[in-house]
Amino acid sequence: MEEQPLQAAQEGAPRDVVPGKVGCELFGYVGIEAVLDQMRIKTMKTGFEFNIMVVGQSGLGKSTMVNTLFKSKVSCKATTPRHEERIPKTVQLQSVTHVIEEKGVKMKLTVTDTPGFGDQINNENCWDPIIKYINEQYERYLREEILISRKQKIPDTRVHSCVYFVPPTGHWLRPLDLEFMRRLSKIVNVVPVIAKADTLTLEERAEFKQRIQRDLKAHGISIYPQEDFEEDPDERILNDKIRDKIPFAVVGADQEHQVNGKRILGRKTKWGIIEVENPSHCEFPMLRDLLIRSHLQDLKDITHNMHYESYRVRRLNESNRLALSPVNGLQEKDEMESNL
Amino acid sequence: QCPASKSMGGKGCGGEQIEESCRSLSLTGHVGFDSSPDQLVNKSINQGFCFNILCIGETGIGKSTLIDTLFNTHFDDRVANHFQPNVRLKAQTYDLHESNVRLKLTIVNTVGFGDQINKEDSYQPIVDYIDAQFEAYLQEELKIKRSLYSYHDTRIHVCLYFISPTGHSLKTLDLLTMKNLDSKVNIIPVIGKADTISKTELQKFKIKLMSELVSNGVQIYQFPTDDETISKINATMNGHLPFAVVGSLEEVKVGNKMVKARQYPWGIVQVENEHHCDFVKLREMLICTNMEDLREQTHTRHYELYRRCKLEEMGFRDTGPENKPVSVQETYEAKRHEFFGELQRKEEEMRQTFVQRVKEKEAILKEAERDLQAKFEHLKRLHQEERMKLEEKRKLLEDEMIVFSKRKAATELLQAQAFASTPTVSLKKDKDRKKDPGFRLEILCFDVKNQETDQEQREREKLERERFTHREFQK
């Protein structure tokens, strides 16, 4: 193995030198891979946080979907008699937090619902409260991060993914859908799904999906998984497959029925039972896999590394511009501190 | 307008565990998020890990050999001499691969530690280096456009401090250095070249060392005992500190195996034999069990402390629970105004000083000018006086010359008359007569001779000639 020449530090002045990285061959087993286990143990101890937001008109099955996803009564459905809600006049956001555990892994799940979205006659700017909410979470995190004595683990309330329910018209995306997704895909991971997909036949589904994909592309809306954030070629291949199938056509159900002697989650209708977890019936398993089993960490990472960072940049630039005076201060101090 | 989310489970006590105040839900089926740790681990595998080790110890105590032995590879062949003027830090980064883990390992060595005659400043370069790494990370974190996830973390995660195997106690330099470093980095003390100490001595030495560290308030790194899976082994290891290590990459045949060992005439010291030295324990603790914890401690404890101190030093404060980033901006603006005011004041001061100096210089020059002027006047006056004196003298002389010439004319006239009347005028009479005026003339001449100008000299000569011709004539 060749070493690249090392830059020795100057006399008396220590310098952090990272010359070219030198690859080294290990003569024997060292035990470095044990660090993976260490990390695993640590993360299991601290647990995970996941925040999901569901957006869509009322009656599209958002709450049912969430319950199906997490196999528990996470959200209360709006149609239960307990709820006396009428359609609220403005979009109101409601968050519910639960702790769920599976095989020793704890997760703090927060589901944010948006009743009233798209339900008014005049739906202009109905996305504003949602955008405000998302930005508020970023702001909260930013404030925590910028403190002098900050917590060891900053509570993460930022929305990691926003599931948008598209009504199954079978035609195209509506202006409301486009507007919403256009605005929100810039600040959060948007995962569009076709709600109540049991009203579409498979061909209709495929056509609808294609039209939606074309629409999204035409309007330059980048939904999750975003193409620009991919670095790995493997990742790209994987995500391309997913992008082919987006938006997923889902059906939600929280009741179990007997099918072939097994108890399965599904919707019972006169003409058959729609099995929610059957990939040939609907694409719910794919959605679940995407959100939870394979891309959960990725969703969080993209939220943290991309969306949060761009919010931070915007915010800090904003406060810089507000407070800039025409007088010029000393350059170095400027550099360092204007970054705050 | 919209009520923000409720029930975020409250603020945290450290936030280590998930808040139990949230409703716990039971799942009716397999959801699948138990793969989250795996997802996280996979991401880390893709990104790779960073680990930075700082080795402090005297030259020749076996730092490089130990690192080579720890990671089972040859890192650097160069040996430092003992004549370094001050302590330098040398950092090298290596890419190690094992199964699917990529580790970016940085080894920082102190060159020349403990070699100088005056070791007062030995620890300072080390402290500066560690602070510089924290500073670099802080700078990155404070940037507006930052990329923390792809940042090459150079902060020191662990410091292996090599103690000389004297068998007695800690050296003052060791104490001083460790005291200055214990709040900045995780210190694991090791006894280098431990094959020079016998077993009994070693036990006593270790006890002495630990008690000295404790009594001096040096906080070394304690292996964490809060996780049940590793608490037991960590606790036992904590009792074995400092580790007595021997390093070697050479292989010696023992029994029917080749083992890493050092061969002496009196026996073979096997590196990986737990009865011989604590090398295996060190490797176990450092790499296999606690690498992640070391990284975490560095980030959450030492780095946060540094950050807090640095920001407070710069004058930023958390103004209560309602701190907004804008107020930080306000602080900054206030400071900037203050600074600018200070700058202006200083400028003004300097300007004043400058003007003052110029005035003073001017005054001095004027003074000198005046002196010169006075001198000039004085000399001029003197000159004038001299001239006047000379003028007077000349006038006198001229007057006398006029008188003389008158007398001469008169005398000539007389002589001419006398000559005309009596040709036999006795010479003597003439002489006498002449003598009288001549005498007087001569006297006059003598008088005049005192300050004889050319004119006077000519006159005299003329007179002489005339007298001579007179005599001739009289003859």
Side-chain angles (χ1 to χ4, degrees):
Chain A
M1 283 284 145
E2 270 153 28
E3 279 179 29
Q4 296 181 13
L6 167 79
Q7 287 176 41
Q10 291 168 2
E11 277 313 324
R15 249 178 38 184
D16 53 321
V17 178
V18 184
K21 288 161 284 176
V22 184
C24 278
E25 258 189 39
L26 301 173
F27 299 149
Y29 178 73
V30 177
I32 300 177
E33 58 176 8
V35 72
L36 299 177
D37 284 327
Q38 296 169 29
M39 193 180 260
R40 200 170 279 136
I41 293 175
K42 266 199 192 294
T43 49
M44 282 186 54
K45 213 167 58 140
T46 51
F48 293 85
E49 285 169 316
F50 190 56
N51 308 320
I52 187 173
M53 179 190 270
V54 285
V55 184
Q57 286 174 295
S58 54
L60 281 181
K62 304 190 290 288
S63 311
T64 319
M65 173 55 53
V66 173
N67 288 345
T68 323
L69 259 179
F70 293 100
K71 294 250 169 43
S72 51
K73 284 233 178 325
V74 180
S75 318
C76 284
K77 286 192 279 190
T79 52
T80 53
R82 268 194 340 207
H83 272 253
E84 290 179 357
E85 271 167 45
R86 301 164 172 252
I87 296 177
K89 283 279 187 320
T90 54
V91 179
Q92 289 173 350
L93 284 95
Q94 291 167 353
S95 289
V96 181
T97 308
H98 298 285
V99 173
I100 43 184
E101 183 175 338
E102 190 172 65
K103 289 199 187 140
V105 180
K106 285 209 184 84
M107 175 168 307
K108 190 174 174 193
L109 176 71
T110 305
V111 179
T112 310
D113 201 353
T114 54
F117 179 81
D119 289 335
Q120 322 301 330
I121 294 185
N122 182 1
N123 284 315
E124 254 171 36
N125 299 330
C126 63
W127 45 78
D128 276 346
I130 299 176
I131 295 183
K132 187 162 157 214
Y133 174 80
I134 294 175
N135 283 338
E136 255 171 34
Q137 307 316 304
Y138 287 145
E139 180 71 24
R140 203 187 278 198
Y141 193 88
L142 180 65
R143 278 189 222 163
E144 287 283 341
E145 198 191 25
I146 227 170
L147 283 179
I148 308 274
S149 342
R150 48 191 191 185
K151 300 198 190 108
Q152 213 170 8
K153 190 166 181 325
I154 302 177
D156 191 1
T157 56
R158 303 170 293 188
V159 177
H160 298 131
S161 79
C162 174
V163 183
Y164 185 73
F165 287 75
V166 177
T169 58
H171 297 170
W172 295 273
L173 285 174
R174 302 166 303 156
L176 176 65
D177 304 330
L178 282 169
E179 272 304 311
F180 178 84
M181 283 203 271
R182 192 167 60 84
R183 279 157 208 273
L184 258 75
S185 57
K186 294 189 191 136
I187 57 174
V188 75
N189 299 319
V190 175
V191 183
V193 295
I194 302 174
K196 296 205 164 165
D198 46 341
T199 58
L200 297 170
T201 64
L202 288 180
E203 296 86 20
E204 283 169 354
R205 235 191 248 175
E207 274 178 24
F208 190 27
K209 274 197 204 185
Q210 280 198 351
R211 281 194 219 116
I212 291 180
Q213 282 171 6
R214 256 181 292 154
D215 266 347
L216 291 173
K217 204 168 275 180
H219 283 82
I221 303 174
S222 69
I223 48 171
Y224 185 82
Q226 293 97 336
E227 275 175 350
D228 346 303
F229 301 150
E230 273 152 22
E231 300 158 350
D232 227 4
D234 294 334
E235 215 182 307
R236 194 176 287 267
I237 296 174
L238 184 68
N239 285 348
D240 275 342
K241 281 201 213 131
I242 296 175
R243 272 191 286 269
D244 261 345
K245 297 276 171 54
I246 291 227
F248 297 124
V250 295
V251 177
D254 48 3
Q255 282 178 339
E256 288 187 341
H257 303 275
Q258 284 276 26
V259 174
N260 295 342
K262 286 195 296 180
R263 290 200 66 80
I264 299 194
L265 273 179
R267 278 173 69 77
K268 188 160 181 197
T269 60
K270 291 233 166 72
W271 44 92
I273 294 181
I274 305 159
E275 292 163 40
V276 165
E277 301 210 0
N278 189 335
S280 54
H281 287 200
C282 78
E283 288 169 342
F284 171 78
M286 294 189 69
L287 176 70
R288 182 196 48 207
D289 286 347
L290 179 76
L291 281 182
I292 301 174
R293 291 191 188 168
S294 57
H295 282 73
L296 188 118
Q297 193 55 40
D298 191 48
L299 282 164
K300 291 174 63 166
D301 281 343
I302 299 221
T303 310
H304 180 67
N305 293 332
M306 304 290 171
H307 295 298
Y308 170 68
E309 287 296 319
S310 60
Y311 172 80
R312 186 174 170 275
V313 169
R314 265 182 290 134
R315 185 82 175 80
L316 295 180
N317 276 335
E318 218 173 71
S319 35
N320 262 352
R321 259 182 279 126
L322 278 178
L324 266 184
S325 51
V327 183
N328 268 338
L330 195 62
Q331 203 50 37
E332 305 121 44
K333 210 167 189 242
D334 235 270
E335 282 263 304
M336 168 78 182
E337 295 180 42
S338 68
N339 291 339
L340 282 168
Chain B
Q1 269 288 345
C2 67
S5 78
K6 62 124 200 156
S7 79
M8 266 324 296
K11 329 297 185 295
C13 44
E16 280 289 341
Q17 306 277 358
I18 295 243
E19 292 303 314
E20 293 306 324
S21 53
C22 302
R23 249 176 69 198
S24 270
L25 277 187
S26 50
L27 304 172
T28 55
H30 177 69
V31 177
F33 61 84
D34 56 336
S35 61
S36 307
D38 293 321
Q39 290 179 35
L40 186 63
V41 166
N42 284 337
K43 271 247 178 268
S44 305
I45 291 179
N46 283 337
Q47 279 179 342
F49 294 88
C50 266
F51 197 57
N52 308 319
I53 303 181
L54 169 68
C55 293
I56 306 183
E58 297 170 352
T59 314
I61 205 170
K63 306 186 283 286
S64 309
T65 316
L66 181 70
I67 297 290
D68 284 354
T69 324
L70 260 179
F71 289 99
N72 240 329
T73 176
H74 258 301
F75 282 128
D76 184 3
D77 275 331
R78 274 173 286 180
V79 179
N81 62 27
H82 287 259
F83 296 101
Q84 309 291 328
N86 16 41
V87 178
R88 266 188 315 131
L89 279 96
K90 213 167 67 146
Q92 271 175 303
T93 308
Y94 306 94
D95 260 335
L96 302 179
H97 283 262
E98 188 175 78
S99 50
N100 55 352
V101 179
R102 279 183 299 129
L103 182 71
K104 207 181 274 184
L105 180 73
T106 304
I107 313 276
V108 185
N109 249 314
T110 50
V111 179
F113 187 76
D115 276 338
Q116 294 82 27
I117 294 179
N118 181 0
K119 298 182 225 177
E120 265 176 3
D121 292 329
S122 289
Y123 69 88
Q124 197 58 47
I126 304 175
V127 170
D128 290 341
Y129 180 84
I130 296 177
D131 277 346
Q133 307 318 304
F134 283 146
E135 183 67 30
Y137 191 87
L138 182 65
Q139 292 280 353
E140 183 66 29
E141 200 189 17
L142 289 178
K143 272 197 203 159
I144 294 193
K145 271 208 165 79
R146 60 189 190 181
S147 49
L148 276 178
Y149 53 89
S150 58
Y151 177 77
H152 173 66
D153 191 1
T154 53
R155 300 174 292 182
I156 303 291
H157 298 127
V158 68
C159 165
L160 290 177
Y161 195 94
F162 287 74
I163 300 174
S164 297
T166 56
H168 297 314
S169 62
L170 277 178
K171 297 192 185 163
T172 336
L173 176 64
D174 294 340
L175 260 181
L176 186 64
T177 313
M178 280 204 266
K179 199 96 180 73
N180 275 294
L181 292 177
D182 67 351
S183 58
K184 292 190 183 284
V185 74
N186 303 315
I187 300 183
I188 298 183
V190 296
I191 303 172
K193 294 201 167 168
D195 49 351
T196 56
I197 316 184
S198 74
K199 243 196 150 80
T200 40
E201 279 177 3
L202 185 64
Q203 207 43 42
K204 276 193 273 176
F205 189 35
K206 279 194 185 181
I207 294 175
K208 185 90 196 326
L209 287 176
M210 289 308 284
S211 69
E212 274 196 348
L213 286 174
V214 164
S215 62
N216 280 288
V218 175
Q219 287 183 325
I220 55 173
Y221 176 72
Q222 295 291 328
F223 301 118
T225 49
D226 44 1
D227 181 19
E228 317 78 42
T229 47
I230 50 173
S231 68
K232 217 168 127 219
I233 185 171
N234 276 347
T236 19
M237 291 300 182
N238 275 329
H240 280 114
L241 280 173
F243 294 128
V245 292
V246 176
S248 166
L249 278 180
E250 289 161 5
E251 302 216 328
V252 176
K253 197 170 171 80
V254 171
N256 50 2
K257 282 199 304 176
M258 295 295 284
V259 294
K260 288 202 282 265
R262 285 175 65 77
Q263 182 155 51
Y264 292 104
W266 49 87
I268 299 176
V269 179
Q270 293 161 37
V271 168
E272 284 171 335
N273 185 337
E274 295 214 40
H275 294 291
H276 289 199
C277 73
D278 295 333
F279 172 79
V280 174
K281 296 198 182 75
L282 176 68
R283 185 176 61 193
E284 182 72 29
M285 285 292 102
L286 188 65
I287 302 175
C288 306
T289 317
N290 296 307
M291 192 189 264
E292 188 57 30
D293 186 63
L294 284 164
R295 280 154 43 104
E296 195 181 304
Q297 290 283 333
T298 308
H299 180 68
T300 54
R301 207 148 59 94
H302 301 294
Y303 170 69
E304 285 296 315
L305 181 67
Y306 174 82
R307 179 179 176 273
R308 189 166 43 235
C309 293
K310 194 73 201 298
L311 290 179
E312 277 177 3
E313 200 180 282
M314 295 207 298
F316 294 103
R317 298 266 178 278
D318 294 334
T319 51
E322 295 270 277
N323 188 43
K324 301 180 207 293
V326 181
S327 76
V328 165
Q329 189 65 28
E330 284 169 12
T331 318
Y332 160 61
E333 276 309 311
K335 290 200 92 192
R336 190 201 218 173
H337 278 284
E338 182 191 316
F339 185 77
F340 191 71
E342 180 82 23
L343 194 71
Q344 277 193 315
R345 199 177 50 78
K346 281 227 168 83
E347 247 184 76
E348 202 46 51
E349 225 175 271
M350 280 192 74
R351 204 176 298 140
Q352 298 254 353
T353 322
F354 178 68
V355 168
Q356 187 77 8
R357 285 251 191 85
V358 167
K359 278 208 181 110
E360 281 172 14
K361 201 67 186 226
E362 248 183 28
I364 290 174
L365 284 175
K366 272 220 171 82
E367 186 76 37
E369 208 182 316
R370 255 180 279 137
D371 279 343
L372 273 175
Q373 193 76 6
K375 228 177 175 178
F376 175 66
E377 298 282 319
H378 179 69
L379 281 175
K380 199 163 164 192
R381 247 181 293 129
L382 277 175
H383 181 66
Q384 294 272 43
E385 282 171 13
E386 297 272 312
R387 250 174 115 185
M388 274 170 49
K389 277 196 193 135
L390 278 175
E391 281 296 321
E392 281 174 20
K393 287 213 169 110
R394 185 201 277 173
K395 259 218 175 97
L396 266 174
L397 177 66
E398 279 184 2
D399 288 339
E400 282 171 7
M401 274 172 51
I402 290 174
V403 166
F404 166 73
S405 50
K406 274 194 188 145
R407 279 191 174 264
K408 185 176 129 201
T411 322
E412 280 175 357
L413 201 60
L414 270 165
Q415 275 192 349
Q417 283 175 352
F419 193 67
S421 54
T422 52
T424 55
V425 160
S426 64
L427 199 67
K428 214 182 174 188
K429 262 201 195 162
D430 272 329
K431 269 197 184 159
D432 286 337
R433 230 190 298 162
K434 259 244 204 91
K435 246 191 195 155
D436 287 315
F439 203 75
R440 252 187 290 142
L441 273 169
E442 278 176 25
I443 289 173
L444 219 62
C445 285
F446 285 137
D447 261 24
V448 170
K449 240 192 201 156
N450 281 342
Q451 284 180 354
E452 202 177 59
T453 61
D454 281 359
Q455 198 180 10
E456 288 156 358
Q457 190 171 12
R458 268 180 267 132
E459 287 291 337
R460 186 168 49 91
E461 281 165 8
K462 201 164 142 197
L463 279 168
E464 300 269 339
R465 264 181 272 127
E466 281 181 352
R467 221 182 2 162
F468 190 72
T469 51
H470 249 304
R471 267 189 232 136
E472 296 279 302
F473 191 67
Q474 281 185 352
K475 272 187 196 152

